[in-house]
Amino acid sequence: MRVWLLGVRGSTPAPGPDFVRYGGHTSCVAIAAEGQDAPSVALDAGTGLRSLTALLPGPAYRGAILLSHLHWDHVQGIPFFVAGDQDLSVVDLYLPAQGGLSGRDLLATMMSPPCFPIMPEGLRGTWTFNTLPPGRVDICGFQVTAVDVAHKGGRTYGFRVEDVSGSLAYVPDHAPVQGCSDEVRAMIRGVDVLLHDAQFLASERVTADLFGHATVDEAISLATEAQVGRLVLFHHAPARTDAQLDALARTLAAPMPVVVAAEGESIDIPG
Ligand SMILES: [Zn+2]
Ligand SMILES: [Zn+2]
């Protein structure tokens, strides 16, 4: 499979000259299955989702979008995803089940007047809005496992995504200090590539706990314990400049390759 990093930032977009190389878009990752040229699954729909249109062979997206949770930095790209807003678009959106609400009503909590000009049904094309319970499901040829992870404010999933070529785990927002369940450890165990929350540094411990996020050290520790093949540090703090991320990259030490996620890069599995 091929994985494109379309948005690697947490909390809010980060435009400006200090954020050019690692990118300013919020969380979105697109995945193409083995043997396919174009992505058919997106993980999260932050502002990086806008960049998915350029990866497609035609004007309309036909595929799935899985949301880890409903915080702004993971959903605000939905109504601005041009390839998802065409008459020929066919998009299956999956939202973490919670509160007994339908998928449509969950999405409408952030996408409806007066917060936003249109409702979910204002999107053109054929959209389905599905609630996703934890567990394993087949989506667009991938085996997807959704697992509850500790975060702050609403249900949050981490995903393990597998096909014949290998496995990816995506855990963009995670507060392991609140407790890391056996299910979470099993979800990331032995994956070829782990994308993990690394929004904060050890020196920012108090803020990390307040916001419900991980530190770089915690991400490396989890990846080491789970014996993952590669670790990609993801969901950078919006104020973390290119120079600061370069400096961070120079300090990393782990038993597996570790890279700092940069918008626009792609990862092949197996690599
Ligand atoms: Zn986030
Ligand atoms: Zn979040």
Side-chain angles (χ1 to χ4, degrees):
M1 70 177 91
R2 174 165 284 186
V3 180
W4 286 266
L5 307 180
L6 303 180
V8 302
R9 208 47 82 161
S11 302
T12 183
D18 289 337
F19 307 94
V20 171
R21 284 184 292 107
Y22 290 92
H25 274 312
T26 63
S27 301
C28 182
V29 167
I31 310 173
E34 191 67 14
Q36 302 291 314
D37 292 328
S40 59
V41 168
L43 303 177
D44 277 333
T47 61
L49 180 62
R50 292 181 52 218
S51 303
L52 177 51
T53 297
L55 297 179
L56 302 173
Y61 182 59
R62 293 169 174 267
I65 301 173
L66 282 70
L67 302 180
S68 65
H69 63 310
L70 304 182
H71 293 171
W72 288 350
D73 50 326
H74 300 258
V75 296
Q76 284 186 325
I78 291 173
F80 302 105
F81 175 32
V82 172
D85 191 31
Q86 305 293 317
D87 291 338
L88 293 177
S89 303
V90 181
V91 186
D92 296 318
L93 182 71
Y94 294 87
L95 309 91
Q98 56 203 295
L101 294 173
S102 68
R104 182 266 172 212
D105 288 352
L106 278 170
L107 183 61
T109 59
M110 59 73 62
M111 192 173 153
S112 60
C115 298
F116 196 74
I118 64 167
M119 311 269 263
E121 47 274 15
L123 294 164
R124 289 184 291 169
T126 304
W127 282 71
T128 65
F129 306 108
N130 311 279
T131 55
L132 185 68
R136 186 168 166 150
V137 63
D138 288 342
I139 294 175
C140 297
F142 295 99
Q143 294 83 54
V144 176
T145 307
V147 176
D148 283 300
V149 302
H151 184 39
K152 183 174 184 177
R155 181 174 227 170
T156 300
Y157 285 151
F159 295 115
R160 184 181 179 114
V161 180
E162 299 169 273
D163 73 0
V164 293
S165 65
S167 54
L168 166 78
Y170 175 79
V171 190
D173 295 50
H174 185 201
V177 74
Q178 296 178 23
C180 189
S181 69
D182 291 345
E183 288 76 16
V184 172
R185 295 178 196 279
M187 183 246 303
I188 64 176
R189 174 154 295 284
V191 289
D192 294 300
V193 174
L194 168 63
L195 273 70
H196 196 278
D197 183 351
Q199 179 151 352
F200 291 102
L201 309 178
S203 59
E204 300 163 332
R205 176 84 264 164
V206 173
T207 314
D209 293 351
L210 187 65
F211 291 2
H213 283 286
T215 64
V216 170
D217 292 355
E218 286 174 323
I220 291 174
S221 172
L222 283 171
T224 301
E225 180 199 302
Q227 298 184 302
V228 309
R230 274 181 282 170
L231 171 63
V232 180
L233 301 175
F234 191 77
H235 202 275
H236 309 312
R240 195 88 65 209
T241 63
D242 288 340
Q244 290 170 334
L245 289 168
D246 283 344
L248 170 65
R250 287 193 291 270
T251 67
L252 298 172
M256 80 291 295
V258 184
V259 297
V260 176
E263 182 182 318
E265 291 188 345
S266 60
I267 299 167
D268 287 326
I269 300 174

